[in-house]
């Protein structure tokens, strides 16, 4: 398990190579009797920018409330909230091990600021953030930067940013170990389903491990390699 976690934490955007019918998901979303509700995505004490307003509806929450709670814990008894209205959505979520932890619709209105769930919010390393994109304008993206680069930078020199526009119809694990952010420069809505999945579940672990083993894209520099470069004085190279 530790080998899988170590590999996963340095993959910025991991495609699961699992497809779904995005048109069915969108139709269920449009047919919901509730509008997306305003909420601040990060209101925990570790995150001071409480002026970032997104829109959201819970699909799985503690207490079964449809209004998303930005201070919801990573573990607890989560209840399904909208299953009567969007059965296919829950079928997709449950097929990848979701629904037992937080799951919610999110409209990303603007940047939430760079943040790390594991480093700042103490997200357990057995939990991964799965993104199921519904609407992704051309001018939208998810971005990841090395937490070592971000925390150690004086911001006078550029550092590597791993950017990707997530393709609706595909699923991705967004890196929550390093610093990440989401951007929508378009006037069109950027809407995704955020789902937390538990690597301690064997089926979920097997699914993620298969995706990790087939991944051939870029990886974020490891902490060990970063420290070695720092000791040798090669951080500017």
């Amino acid at each position: 398990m530790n080998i899988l976690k170590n590999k996963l934490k340095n993959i910025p955007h991991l495609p699961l190579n699992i497809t779904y019918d995005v048109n069915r998901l969108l139709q269920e979303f449009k047919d919901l009797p509730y509008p997306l509700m305003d909420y601040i995505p990060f209101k925990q004490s570790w995150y001071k920018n409480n002026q970032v307003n997104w829109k959201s509806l819970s699909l799985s929450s503690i207490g079964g409330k449809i209004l998303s709670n930005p201070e919801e814990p990573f573990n607890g008894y989560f209840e399904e909230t909208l299953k009567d209205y969007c059965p296919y959505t829950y079928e997709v979520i449950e097929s990848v091990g979701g629904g037992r932890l937080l799951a919610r619709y999110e409209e990303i209105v603007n940047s939430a600021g760079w943040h790390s769930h594991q480093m700042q919010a103490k997200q357990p390393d057995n939990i991964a953030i799965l993104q199921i994109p519904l609407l992704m304008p051309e001018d939208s993206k998810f971005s990841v930067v090395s937490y070592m680069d971000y925390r150690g930078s004086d911001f006078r020199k550029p550092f590597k940013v791993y950017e990707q526009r997530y393709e609706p119809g595909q699923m991705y694990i967004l890196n929550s170990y390093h610093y990440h952010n989401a951007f929508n420069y378009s006037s069109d809505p950027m809407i995704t389903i955020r789902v937390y999945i538990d690597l301690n579940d064997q089926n979920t672990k097997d699914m993620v491990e298969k995706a990790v083993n087939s991944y051939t894209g870029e990886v974020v520099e490891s902490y060990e390699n970063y420290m070695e470069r720092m000791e040798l004085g090669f951080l500017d190279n």
Side-chain angles (χ1 to χ4, degrees):
M1 173 68 86
N2 286 334
I3 294 175
L4 174 61
K5 291 176 182 177
N6 286 334
K7 288 182 178 179
L8 185 61
K9 74 180 184 182
N10 290 323
I11 296 177
H13 312 278
L14 177 66
L16 289 186
N17 304 314
I18 297 173
T19 60
Y20 55 91
D21 188 338
V22 67
N23 292 323
R24 286 183 67 185
L25 289 186
L26 272 172
Q27 193 59 56
E28 288 189 342
F29 169 71
K30 292 175 181 178
D31 290 343
L32 287 172
Y34 308 103
L36 291 175
M37 301 178 184
D38 290 338
Y39 92 119
I40 298 169
F42 306 106
K43 199 175 181 180
Q44 295 93 336
S45 60
W46 58 269
Y47 197 82
K48 303 303 182 182
N49 184 3
N50 291 344
Q51 305 304 312
V52 180
N53 292 310
W54 290 6
K55 296 180 183 293
S56 179
L57 276 178
S58 284
L59 287 157
S60 177
S61 68
I62 291 178
K65 297 179 180 180
I66 62 172
L67 177 62
S68 295
N69 176 9
E71 297 183 278
E72 205 150 44
F74 293 105
N75 294 297
Y77 177 68
F78 285 78
E79 300 177 44
E80 296 169 335
T81 57
L82 298 169
K83 196 167 188 176
D84 290 343
Y85 304 105
C86 43
Y88 177 65
T89 301
Y90 281 89
E91 179 184 326
V92 171
I93 290 172
E94 291 167 3
S95 72
V96 290
R100 289 165 287 185
L101 299 171
L102 179 151
R104 60 176 60 144
Y105 291 108
E106 289 185 326
E107 180 179 355
I108 298 170
V109 178
N110 50 26
S111 166
W114 293 100
H115 56 281
S116 165
H117 287 230
Q118 289 191 29
M119 294 295 175
Q120 294 172 291
K122 307 306 179 184
Q123 174 186 309
D125 63 1
N126 61 290
I127 292 177
I129 299 176
L130 178 64
Q131 295 285 351
I132 304 175
L134 302 184
L135 294 172
M136 289 288 295
E138 289 298 325
D139 290 331
S140 65
K141 62 184 178 181
F142 287 94
S143 300
V144 174
V145 299
S146 161
Y147 93 85
M148 293 86 73
D149 282 340
Y150 185 85
R151 297 288 291 182
S153 176
D154 62 5
F155 299 100
R156 292 188 299 174
K157 298 177 181 178
F159 47 75
K160 175 71 175 178
V161 181
Y162 304 84
E163 301 177 334
Q164 187 160 343
R165 175 184 174 272
Y166 289 1
E167 187 67 35
Q170 302 287 332
M171 299 183 187
Y172 303 81
I173 290 179
L174 173 63
N175 191 295
S176 55
Y177 174 79
H178 292 284
Y179 279 73
H180 69 235
N181 205 346
F183 300 91
N184 182 15
Y185 299 110
S186 167
S187 58
D188 297 322
M190 176 182 178
I191 297 175
T192 184
I193 298 174
R194 191 208 309 193
V195 179
Y196 286 1
I197 56 176
D198 187 353
L199 298 177
N200 287 333
D201 175 78
Q202 187 62 48
N203 290 333
T204 302
K205 175 180 176 293
D206 292 344
M207 173 190 71
V208 174
E209 196 163 42
K210 181 179 179 181
V212 167
N213 289 339
S214 65
Y215 180 75
T216 58
E218 292 184 299
V219 295
V220 184
E221 182 180 28
S222 69
Y223 174 79
E224 291 76 15
N225 191 65
Y226 178 90
M227 292 303 295
E228 182 179 353
R229 286 199 301 120
M230 184 175 72
E231 290 172 2
L232 294 173
F234 292 157
L235 287 187
D236 291 334
N237 292 348

